[in-house]
Amino acid sequence: MKQPYPFAAIVGQEEMKQAMILTAIDPSLGGVLVFGDRGTGKSTAVRALAALLPPIDVVEDCPVNSARRSDCPDWAEIRSDTVVTRPTPVIDLPLGATEDRVTGALDIERALTRGEKAFQPGLLARANRGYLYIDEVNLLEDHIVDVLLDVAQSGENLVERDGLSIRHAARFVLVGSGNPEEGELRPQLLDRFGLSVDVASPGDIDDRVEVIRRREAYDHDHAAFMLRWQAEDAAIRERIVAARAALRHVRTPDAVLRDVAQLCLELGTDGLRGELTLLKAARAYAAFRDDTALARTHVRATAPAALRHRLRRDPLDEAGSGARLARAVEDVFA
């Protein structure tokens, strides 16, 4: 099977790549929303990220990727303590997927052939401890969005139907992509994404030529192309692993905390989720850069992705939320 396009070989789109790396360092960030034109590398980046993620230890037959036998759900009837190492799961949730396919449902085959009432796990079970990717997330049906909101809040998938009452862990990083011209995202789901980035087609002719050149090399001389980028992808993976270990040791000076709070106050973000997410993102960025203490440079670098989707719309501001955010950053950090 053809390997995904290397993450390191993606030309430009630095903010999108940075956001995805930050979620790999700190999955509690809450996921990434990538909005932009078609053909700008959104799906390519998600599939490339899968190859970068460190493997996880899972109980061999556990359908929800539990790390220990004691964490496996009773309904899974696990009989072996064998633990194996597997790639971090990155599961696609396609548009049009039924609720049964997403949450899981009665195993019809087993019911018909053995007369037993058993649970057939869905996509949420497979995504536990990994990533759930939704392309065209803004076109997702409302009842599936409701399911995702419930699971994102509780970290559990509860299925009660056909006489079944099943509960299992469902903690994953949610990654969504879409074209804003095709529809807006429900505010409740938008708020669940920790980071949001906008991507656009390259505006520089050299960048466009380089994209075409690399894509042709990937398609026509696949083995050589993958070998060419293997070392750079491995270097990013090593930095992610090191940053995960260093994250808990990153110091957060009170002065930076005040900067974060002042920035969110200046922008008028609702609640405190903006501050909390920005702080996590900045800490992950500091760890990735091998810095031991949080500084204004880390907050500056992560503020757009952490806050742009949390701003109230201002119909009188023709420059848009991005310019408003940039002005606030300059004012606070002047």
Side-chain angles (χ1 to χ4, degrees):
M1 193 172 73
K2 200 170 185 177
Q3 293 177 277
Y5 192 87
F7 191 84
I10 296 172
V11 178
Q13 313 295 13
E14 299 302 330
E15 189 183 21
M16 174 178 68
K17 290 190 286 187
Q18 174 180 291
M20 291 188 178
I21 287 172
L22 296 184
T23 64
I25 295 169
D26 184 358
S28 73
L29 263 170
V32 184
L33 175 65
V34 184
F35 258 5
D37 303 332
R38 291 181 180 276
T40 47
K42 302 186 295 292
S43 300
T44 299
V46 175
R47 305 195 194 296
L49 177 70
L52 283 184
L53 297 170
I56 58 174
D57 291 335
V58 301
V59 176
E60 187 171 24
D61 296 323
C62 181
V64 299
N65 307 314
S66 297
R68 296 179 294 272
R69 170 83 179 272
S70 58
D71 294 336
C72 297
D74 294 340
W75 53 262
E77 300 177 356
I78 302 299
R79 296 184 176 83
S80 169
D81 288 329
T82 303
V83 173
V84 297
T85 300
R86 290 190 178 141
T88 298
V90 178
I91 306 300
D92 279 328
L93 194 162
L95 290 181
T98 64
E99 188 170 332
D100 282 356
R101 187 180 174 195
V102 175
T103 63
L106 178 69
D107 187 337
I108 299 296
E109 182 179 351
R110 193 162 158 184
L112 292 175
T113 57
R114 298 192 218 168
E116 298 176 354
K117 189 177 287 187
F119 180 61
Q120 177 68 48
L123 299 177
L124 297 179
R126 293 172 54 200
N128 188 41
R129 300 182 65 207
Y131 281 64
L132 185 68
Y133 173 53
I134 311 169
D135 192 16
E136 300 184 298
V137 63
N138 46 334
L139 303 183
L140 204 60
E141 294 181 33
D142 283 348
H143 66 104
I144 300 296
V145 171
D146 291 337
V147 168
L148 292 177
L149 289 173
D150 287 344
V151 172
Q153 184 165 7
S154 65
E156 284 191 331
N157 177 35
L158 175 62
V159 181
E160 290 186 317
R161 68 169 74 96
D162 300 324
L164 292 171
S165 180
I166 296 293
R167 186 187 299 269
H168 67 75
R171 297 186 183 280
F172 46 80
V173 176
L174 187 62
V175 178
S177 63
N179 184 342
E181 294 179 356
E182 295 174 346
E184 295 188 351
L185 204 60
R186 277 174 55 182
Q188 299 92 333
L189 184 57
L190 180 63
D191 191 48
R192 285 292 159 192
F193 286 97
L195 305 177
S196 171
V197 295
D198 295 334
V199 294
S201 303
D204 182 88
I205 192 166
D206 290 334
D207 285 347
R208 298 179 80 98
V209 169
E210 188 60 25
V211 171
I212 297 167
R213 184 180 290 130
R214 291 185 190 180
R215 186 69 209 192
E216 283 200 333
Y218 173 76
D219 289 336
H220 297 135
D221 194 1
H222 183 73
F225 187 79
M226 296 305 295
L227 188 62
R228 155 75 178 80
W229 292 97
Q230 190 177 49
E232 295 192 38
D233 262 7
I236 297 174
R237 187 184 306 111
E238 288 176 9
R239 288 184 67 186
I240 290 173
V241 172
R244 281 184 175 184
L247 186 58
R248 73 184 70 175
H249 304 297
V250 174
R251 290 183 291 107
T252 306
D254 286 347
V256 178
L257 277 180
R258 294 189 68 84
D259 286 340
V260 169
Q262 187 180 349
L263 179 59
C264 291
L265 201 58
E266 187 90 8
L267 290 165
T269 58
D270 293 327
L272 293 172
R273 191 168 287 165
E275 279 100 325
L276 296 171
T277 303
L278 175 53
L279 191 60
K280 284 184 178 182
R283 286 171 56 83
Y285 182 66
F288 187 65
R289 290 170 51 91
D290 200 22
D291 294 332
T292 56
L294 207 56
R296 282 185 163 185
T297 53
H298 307 126
V299 178
R300 270 178 177 270
T302 50
L307 300 179
R308 98 166 24 95
H309 56 306
R310 304 180 194 281
L311 305 188
R312 294 175 187 166
R313 290 184 179 175
D314 183 353
L316 300 179
D317 189 348
E318 296 180 355
S321 59
R324 188 150 47 103
L325 204 155
R327 286 198 302 269
V329 168
E330 291 305 319
D331 289 344
V332 171
F333 296 146

